[in-house]
Amino acid sequence: MYSLGELADRLDLAFSGDASRTIEGLASLESAGPGDITFFSERRYLPQLAATRAGVVILASDYVAQSPANCLISDSPYLTFARVSRLFDNSARPEPGIHPAATVAPGAQVDATASVGANAVVESGALVEAGAILGAGVYLGRETRVGENSCLHPQVVVYHDVHIGRDCVVHSHAVLGADGFGFAPGPEGWEKITQSGGVRIGDRVEIGACTTVDRGTLEHTVIDDGVIIDNQVQVAHNCRIGKNTAIAGCTGLAGSTIIGANCTLAGGVGVVGHLEICDNVHITGMTMVTRSITEPGSYSSGTPMGTTREWKRNAVRFSQLESLQQRLASLEKQR
Amino acid sequence: MYSLGELADRLDLAFSGDASRTIEGLASLESAGPGDITFFSERRYLPQLAATRAGVVILASDYVAQSPANCLISDSPYLTFARVSRLFDNSARPEPGIHPAATVAPGAQVDATASVGANAVVESGALVEAGAILGAGVYLGRETRVGENSCLHPQVVVYHDVHIGRDCVVHSHAVLGADGFGFAPGPEGWEKITQSGGVRIGDRVEIGACTTVDRGTLEHTVIDDGVIIDNQVQVAHNCRIGKNTAIAGCTGLAGSTIIGANCTLAGGVGVVGHLEICDNVHITGMTMVTRSITEPGSYSSGTPMGTTREWKRNAVRFSQLESLQQRLASLEKQR
Amino acid sequence: MYSLGELADRLDLAFSGDASRTIEGLASLESAGPGDITFFSERRYLPQLAATRAGVVILASDYVAQSPANCLISDSPYLTFARVSRLFDNSARPEPGIHPAATVAPGAQVDATASVGANAVVESGALVEAGAILGAGVYLGRETRVGENSCLHPQVVVYHDVHIGRDCVVHSHAVLGADGFGFAPGPEGWEKITQSGGVRIGDRVEIGACTTVDRGTLEHTVIDDGVIIDNQVQVAHNCRIGKNTAIAGCTGLAGSTIIGANCTLAGGVGVVGHLEICDNVHITGMTMVTRSITEPGSYSSGTPMGTTREWKRNAVRFSQLESLQQRLASLEKQR
């Protein structure tokens, strides 16, 4: 619980209205009540701003006059809202210490301020740094590292030789460091190539639930500082993902993909292996990336949705595009 | 083991043939033997009906004369088959009680008729109602609820403030309530937005293996009664899924998607965020839903499969469609 | 650590250069140093071969003269590299025996040479054969089998009546034998069809992290010998996958799909249910397989990536293909 004045102080922002107004929680413009703080960041929501019952609205100074509520004034209302949300984060932090039902190998080092949950298993050579949290049932293989204040939610599995930096969050059922999909065709079938590289994850990385990041074949798979990855994403062996890149759910990166910094991949994207994507690239949802991208910008593939009836007709024509083009060329010659 | 007469009684259906015929199991028309019950529901399988060795066939009254076997007569043979299949379900129900290797926090309430498996972890404030089953290694966070007779298979993870109704089934490695993918761009990189909403799941919901349902940002993510969700599905924060909607495997819903009742989404569908899909919509496999749908019906996108050689030629032409259209328009002007 | 002479002996290959050269590890042509072995298998890497600092290069006899390093001579350099990689596999094999924190039911049989990790749960009727490894937290349901020397990594879940052959590898968070997505529409909503089949997995199968293989409805879901499946793949009920077929990440097979032997499905492929794909078929990435394939060869669907600006224009034209074709036909008539 904060007063408007306290929030303005903590975030070093100006405000207008009643400094003593007490804020108990966050809500949307539409559902906020007098005890809530909300934010306004897009002009098209002006009607909702005018009608809001919120106690405080975070907005740019230009809109103060249009707000019926007290204002917390910010050039970046959405960013300020993110910061306020963290002030109100009341999720319980587990007590430091190792749960009696955890299994920590003698050769592992767990900082006294770290927390290891029930049924967690920490193998020899693992290093868990100050303030780190291993949720219930987390598995840490040999020679792994979890940096300061990083949090692994219940049942994350970390294979051997995977290093995770500080201030990271890894959600449940993520698997870090499973074998890459490396096989050579032999006379009797596929022969496995030992995946002897590890995984190196930087600081402030977030990895979603059921996301998989495979270990490298010879060198490490690398995820740089500040990368955020959503749920159900597949990062294959030897990938390298640059700083602050964001990858949305259900995206799959094939082996040895290199992605630059500050990229955003929307959901369901697929990237063919051995490609390179430069910095500052945006890929729209469900795009199939089949070649390297060397220019910043936005890229897409796919076809638009229609009714199934319409779509079927057009889809048949897709299969005839080459002949359609030839018919057109033939007409052009006859002009 | 049931006799035909017993089955007819229990399901309140008519039958023809030998009431004392004993049925030991279920099988397909083609593989069924004299101790099996099977069903016939599509005319195109008439040859298989004529040749079946089944002890009993479930079918509509019109086809009784064409059945070489005893008949259980139903207007909805497939539905009757489903009901018979549940009568023959012999999967073992675990004993009520808390396994000695489970960890249940003092502040959690577990009904005496519920079953909590080995290595399950139940946090404070959790409520497990009568007849519910938590498989081995299930994790229930703080302030969660599992309704009567719901079954969470081994190693399901439920974060705090997630409520699951009655008669639900959640398969292994599903993750309910992980953080939504909410971040604001800041001067140094992504800043996390605390995801303070929960998840509310109705009654009779089934959720597949490795499926993820994220918690809401401010309000709850909501899955209504009777919804069925297959494996490897991603439901992002703030989604709302209406009653009896079915979602097949590998589908991804981006944040704040609202789906109506009685919809069916086939496998691999992707839905862009902040869209609304009305009731009674069918989406075919791998469709990219890029706009709201306001009319019931069937919708599709994508292109048909061809040999790679043919496809490559047509795909190149796709990239030239705009110029193709302009060339055509230019020819039309010259008429 | 092996000398070049020892490697040549073990693999029954010829070599050139210094038999006593000691090899400590594997690396790529570019990063290998004097203690490393590498391989050369594609002509386009001749410049890298010329510049390599590797201690030994595996290559075909034709290229020995162009190698600055000692050579291990093989007709299949990549396959030989795979075999060498396994000689250098130094991942720790856990000790045989059952960890004190594991829970093994009285009616389960675990061979004395098998290893069962901490918090693993093995139900009654399970059979774990010689040399098999169950990682920490693995769950084996009733009447399951794990064949000789198969390895289930931490937290794999195996439902009842699933058999896994010998020399298999299953990665963390894979779920084998969850219920197939089988429901009949009833008057009040979906009614579940008991999935009473199991899963049968052959020998030398590898299954990736977070991959799901559902149990069959009446008969078993079957994965044949030598099949390799990557991460995040969904195999629905009643599928049958033929010998030595390879399936890359994020692919989804709908129910009752039958795939032949020696097929390769690239990443993100979707296969509609009740289809049959013959032997020796290759499917390129993200293809939607909407019909059975009866001829060996390579198949594709999808559209090529462009800038979002270009793509939008072409995508609109896709929705007009039928009318475009009609306009073209009308012009042709006027010739």
Side-chain angles (χ1 to χ4, degrees), chain B residues 194-215:
Chain B
T194 299
Q195 304 289 304
S196 57
V199 180
R200 293 297 177 266
I201 296 174
D203 300 333
R204 290 167 289 105
V205 169
E206 180 144 344
I207 293 180
C210 292
T211 279
T212 47
V213 180
D214 280 349
R215 62 194 311 105

Side-chain angles (χ1 to χ4, degrees), chain A residues 101 103 119-121 137-139 142 155-157 159-160 172-175 178-194 196 210-214 217-219 232-235 250-252 268-270 282-284 286-293 298-305 311 313-315 317-318 320-321 324 327-328 330-331 334, chain C residues 26-28 31 39 78-79 81-83 85-92 99 101 118-119 136-137 153-155 169-173 204 206 209-210 226-232 243-250 263-264 285-288 290 301-312 315-326 328-329 331-332 335:
Chain A
T103 301
N119 307 321
V121 174
V138 163
Y139 177 82
R142 288 170 301 106
Q155 297 179 23
V156 166
V157 170
Y159 282 53
H160 66 281
S172 291
H173 291 157
V175 179
D179 285 350
F181 197 56
F183 296 85
E188 309 292 330
W190 298 103
E191 299 201 10
K192 188 171 174 73
I193 297 168
T194 299
S196 56
C210 291
T211 279
T212 46
V213 180
D214 280 350
T217 307
L218 297 169
E219 291 159 20
Q232 312 251 19
V233 170
Q234 152 73 351
V235 178
C250 307
T251 284
V269 166
H282 175 66
I283 315 270
T284 62
M286 296 179 84
T287 292
M288 170 167 62
V289 181
T290 48
R291 57 180 171 82
S292 289
I293 298 178
S298 179
Y299 296 83
S300 302
S301 78
T303 63
M305 184 186 73
W311 171 77
R313 284 198 295 241
N314 292 317
R317 298 308 177 193
F318 177 87
Q320 302 166 341
L321 273 179
L324 212 97
R327 285 160 57 191
L328 182 61
S330 148
L331 279 182
Q334 296 169 24
Chain C
L26 298 89
S28 66
S31 64
F39 72 104
Y78 190 51
L79 179 59
F81 185 71
R83 292 173 178 176
S85 80
R86 296 206 301 279
L87 293 177
F88 281 87
D89 183 3
N90 59 4
S91 55
H99 192 282
N119 308 320
H153 283 277
Q155 298 180 23
V169 176
V170 185
H171 284 283
S172 291
H173 292 157
R204 290 167 288 104
E206 180 144 345
C210 291
V227 167
I228 54 175
I229 302 182
D230 197 359
N231 298 347
Q232 313 251 18
K243 211 169 160 176
N244 293 333
T245 278
I247 301 181
C250 306
C263 292
T264 46
M286 296 179 84
T287 292
M288 170 165 64
T290 49
S301 77
T303 62
M305 184 186 74
T307 64
T308 300
R309 175 191 290 259
E310 289 163 357
W311 170 78
K312 274 186 180 162
V316 165
R317 297 309 176 192
F318 177 87
S319 308
Q320 303 166 342
L321 273 178
E322 176 62 19
S323 67
L324 211 96
Q325 136 72 22
Q326 285 170 6
L328 182 60
L331 279 183
E332 285 171 329
R335 277 190 299 188

Side-chain angles (χ1 to χ4, degrees), chain B residues 51-253:
Chain B
T52 192
R53 295 175 52 250
V56 176
V57 180
I58 307 165
L59 40 52
S61 53
D62 295 353
Y63 296 101
V64 170
Q66 285 159 277
S67 169
N70 303 292
C71 297
L72 183 61
I73 301 168
S74 164
D75 291 341
S76 307
Y78 190 51
L79 179 58
T80 297
F81 185 72
R83 291 174 179 177
V84 171
S85 80
R86 295 205 301 279
L87 292 176
F88 281 88
D89 183 2
N90 59 3
S91 56
R93 214 196 127 76
E95 294 297 306
I98 297 174
H99 192 284
T103 300
V104 178
Q109 287 180 59
V110 178
D111 189 275
T113 61
S115 169
V116 178
N119 308 319
V121 174
V122 180
E123 301 282 12
S124 177
L127 173 64
V128 181
E129 296 192 294
I133 298 170
L134 306 185
V138 163
Y139 177 83
L140 276 197
R142 288 170 300 108
E143 309 299 331
T144 49
R145 286 189 198 176
V146 178
E148 284 181 32
N149 297 316
S150 283
C151 171
L152 276 56
H153 283 278
Q155 298 180 23
V156 166
V157 170
V158 183
Y159 282 54
H160 65 281
D161 192 18
V162 172
H163 294 188
I164 300 169
R166 57 189 298 168
D167 299 314
C168 293
V169 176
V170 185
H171 284 284
S172 292
H173 290 157
V175 179
L176 310 180
D179 284 349
F181 197 55
F183 297 85
E188 309 292 329
W190 299 101
E191 298 202 11
K192 188 171 175 72
I193 296 167
T194 299
Q195 304 289 304
S196 57
V199 180
R200 293 297 177 266
I201 296 174
D203 300 333
R204 290 167 289 105
V205 169
E206 180 144 344
I207 293 180
C210 292
T211 279
T212 47
V213 180
D214 280 349
R215 62 194 311 105
T217 307
L218 296 170
E219 290 159 21
H220 301 313
T221 301
V222 178
I223 297 181
D224 218 331
D225 294 344
V227 167
I228 54 175
I229 303 182
D230 197 0
N231 298 347
Q232 313 252 19
V233 171
Q234 151 73 350
V235 179
H237 53 180
N238 314 315
C239 285
R240 305 178 72 94
I241 303 178
K243 213 169 160 177
N244 293 334
T245 279
I247 302 182
C250 306
T251 283
L253 309 183

